[in-house]
Amino acid sequence: MLKTEEKGLSQLKESLKTLTSQYKCTAPDLNLLQKARQLTIDSFWFYAKSNEKETKDHFKKLNKQIALLAKNIEASLSNTSLLNELFLKDNPDAAWVLASKLKNSLGNIEQWAKSDWNQYITLLQKGAKGDLIPALTSKSYIVAKAFENSPHGNTADAIKYYEQAWNTQRDGDAAVALGMIFADEYSDFYDLEKAISYLNRGIELGSCPAMTKLAHIFISGQSSDDFENERAAFLLCQRASKLGDDEATFLLACCYESAYGTRLNRPKAIRLMISLGENYNTYTQLFLGREYISGRFLKQNIKNGIKLLRSAADNNSEEAILELSEIYQEGILVKRNAKMTFQILDNAVENEDCGAEIFLALGRCYLWGIGTV
C-alpha cells in the first residue's frame, strides 16, 4: 500500500468513527447526511485509483461501511414535517431527501400514479439546486433517469438532464445513457454519430454496457462496414467479456463463428456459447443444436440437438422451424414423421411475423399431402 493510500485509509476510518459517533449521539440532520455522502465518494475514489487488490479490498470494505451509515442517516430523518417545513422555506436539500423518501415508499417508478410522479419530479428538480451530494452519481443523472424510466416522463427531458450531467460534471453514466438513447434505430432521437461519440466517452471510463452496445452497432452494420470497425467490435467484445458482460460474451462467440474481426474459430465459439448456457437466447439454441446434431466439434447428441432446435423453433426462429421440419420429413436422424413436419410448420404460421419460406414449405405440405392425410 502506498503511503498516500495508507494515510487516506487512516483518515477515512477516523472520519467514519467521528460520523458514527455523531449519528449515535445527536439527532441526524441534512448536514450529517451531506458529510456521509461526501465520505462515501472519497472512499470510492481511493478504491477506483488503487492498483493493488489487497488495497482495493480495504477501501471497498470501508466504502460499504460508510454507504451503510449514509443510508441509515437518511432513513433516520423521519421528521417529515420538519423536512416539509424546510422545503416550504426553499431548502433544496430538504426537497432532495423528501424525493428520496417518496421514491422508497412508492417502489417501482413505472407503476406510479401521475400525481405521485408530479410530486416526485418537482422535489427532484428543486433538490438538484442544493448542495447535498448523492452517492456516486450526479443529481442531473438521477433526474434524467426519472424522466426516462417513468411512463409520465419523456425522452426529450431525459436527454436534456443527461447532457447537463455530462457537460457539467463529466458523469460517465450519463454519457452511456445518451449513447443508448441515440443508438435506438426505432426512436425519434436516433443519431448514430452522437451515439458513437457518447458511447466512446463511456468506454474511456470503463463502461461494459457502452463497449457491448458499440460493438453491437458495428456488428449489426449500422455503422460503415469495414475491417477497422470489425476489428474494433471484436476487441470491444473481448474486453467486455473479460469483465463479465454476458451479452459481450455472446457477441464474441458470434465473431469467432463468422470470422468477424478475427480468425474463424468455431470450437472457441462453441465453448463461449456453452459458458452462457444452452438456452441463453434463441440463436444459442439454434447454434448449439446444430453442433450437437453434426457432431463435428461436439460429441454428437442428436436427442439434445433436436431438443435445442425445438426450443429455438418455439422462440420463433425460422431457421430452426425449417430445419426441424426437414429432419422429421427426411427421417434420417429420427424416425420419419410427416404429421410432425406439417404440425411444426402449421404452428409457425400462426405467428404474425412468420416469413415467406415457412408459408412456402407449408404450401408444399398441402400440395404433396405431407402430413395432411
Side-chain angles (χ1 to χ4, degrees):
M1 183 182 296
L2 299 175
K3 286 186 177 180
T4 53
E5 293 173 335
E6 190 174 345
K7 182 179 178 181
L9 186 64
S10 176
Q11 290 175 340
L12 287 170
K13 285 182 176 180
E14 188 62 34
S15 297
L16 174 60
K17 184 178 178 181
T18 301
L19 281 179
T20 303
S21 176
Q22 291 175 349
Y23 168 61
K24 290 179 178 179
C25 300
T26 61
D29 57 17
L30 292 172
N31 183 50
L32 190 63
L33 178 59
Q34 169 78 318
K35 290 179 180 178
R37 289 275 178 81
Q38 182 61 58
L39 202 60
T40 304
I41 293 173
D42 292 343
S43 60
F44 174 81
W45 283 116
F46 270 107
Y47 162 79
K49 291 176 181 179
S50 177
N51 295 319
E52 294 181 1
K53 184 181 183 304
E54 187 177 350
T55 304
K56 288 180 81 74
D57 288 342
H58 282 301
F59 284 111
K60 184 177 181 179
K61 181 179 179 181
L62 189 61
N63 176 261
K64 286 184 177 180
Q65 292 173 343
I66 299 169
L68 179 61
L69 176 62
K71 183 178 180 180
N72 289 338
I73 292 172
E74 182 172 326
S76 299
L77 295 173
S78 56
N79 193 342
T80 307
S81 60
L82 175 60
L83 288 171
N84 283 326
E85 183 180 342
L86 289 169
F87 169 63
L88 293 173
K89 292 180 180 179
D90 291 329
N91 185 312
D93 292 338
W96 190 264
V97 175
L98 284 170
S100 178
K101 284 183 171 293
L102 181 62
K103 183 181 179 182
N104 290 336
S105 67
L106 293 175
N108 188 351
I109 194 171
E110 296 179 3
Q111 299 175 359
W112 291 6
K114 185 69 159 51
S115 57
D116 291 328
W117 154 256
N118 288 337
Q119 182 184 3
Y120 176 67
I121 205 66
T122 298
L123 289 168
L124 270 189
Q125 289 174 316
K126 187 166 187 175
K129 299 174 183 177
D131 297 323
L132 192 64
I133 302 171
L136 308 181
T137 190
S138 66
K139 286 182 175 179
S140 295
Y141 174 83
I142 294 173
V143 178
K145 205 69 179 171
F147 273 110
E148 184 180 15
N149 290 346
S150 170
H152 308 300
N154 63 81
T155 306
D157 279 325
I159 290 173
K160 181 181 74 173
Y161 280 100
Y162 280 138
E163 287 180 336
Q164 183 176 315
W166 171 249
N167 293 330
T168 61
Q169 294 176 283
R170 282 297 184 262
D171 188 322
D173 290 333
V176 175
L178 286 166
M180 298 295 185
I181 290 173
F182 290 128
D184 185 354
E185 292 181 273
Y186 304 101
S187 165
D188 293 336
F189 301 94
Y190 177 63
D191 188 322
L192 187 58
E193 185 177 346
K194 284 186 177 180
I196 293 174
S197 175
Y198 279 117
L199 289 173
N200 274 320
R201 301 292 81 75
I203 290 168
E204 289 170 4
L205 296 170
S207 167
C208 270
M211 296 175 203
T212 305
K213 186 63 178 180
L214 187 55
H216 186 272
I217 288 173
F218 290 148
I219 292 171
S220 65
Q222 286 178 251
S223 184
S224 58
D225 191 14
D226 55 39
F227 179 76
E228 186 177 334
N229 281 350
E230 286 188 17
R231 187 61 181 170
F234 169 76
L235 292 174
L236 285 168
C237 290
Q238 194 176 54
R239 182 179 169 191
S241 177
K242 287 179 180 178
L243 293 171
D245 190 298
D246 286 348
E247 181 63 17
T249 299
F250 170 71
L251 292 176
L252 183 62
C254 293
C255 288
Y256 281 119
E257 178 209 0
S258 58
Y260 188 91
T262 187
R263 292 181 179 179
L264 183 68
N265 192 333
R266 204 166 184 84
K268 195 159 190 175
I270 292 170
R271 288 197 299 273
L272 288 169
M273 292 276 193
I274 290 176
S275 75
L276 293 170
E278 294 177 347
N279 295 299
Y280 174 72
N281 61 20
T282 302
Y283 188 76
T284 303
Q285 294 168 336
L286 174 66
F287 176 77
L288 292 177
R290 287 169 169 169
E291 293 298 330
Y292 277 119
I293 289 171
S294 75
R296 185 180 176 189
F297 297 107
L298 278 175
K299 183 178 179 181
Q300 190 174 50
N301 187 332
I302 293 173
K303 183 179 179 180
N304 195 35
I306 290 177
K307 178 184 175 183
L308 286 169
L309 284 184
R310 184 172 288 282
S311 296
D314 290 342
N315 288 326
N316 301 320
S317 165
E318 293 192 13
E319 292 178 85
I321 291 166
L322 292 169
E323 289 181 29
L324 201 58
S325 66
E326 288 176 10
I327 286 172
Y328 282 105
Q329 183 181 347
E330 291 171 350
I332 297 173
L333 298 174
V334 296
K335 185 178 178 181
R336 190 174 186 276
N337 190 332
K339 286 187 176 180
M340 182 66 76
T341 294
F342 174 80
Q343 194 63 55
I344 290 168
L345 296 169
D346 192 48
N347 289 341
V349 297
E350 294 180 7
N351 179 16
E352 60 182 19
D353 296 323
C354 181
E357 287 189 46
I358 294 177
F359 278 104
L360 183 60
L362 183 62
R364 291 194 188 103
C365 288
Y366 280 113
L367 181 63
W368 297 330
I370 301 171
T372 61
V373 291

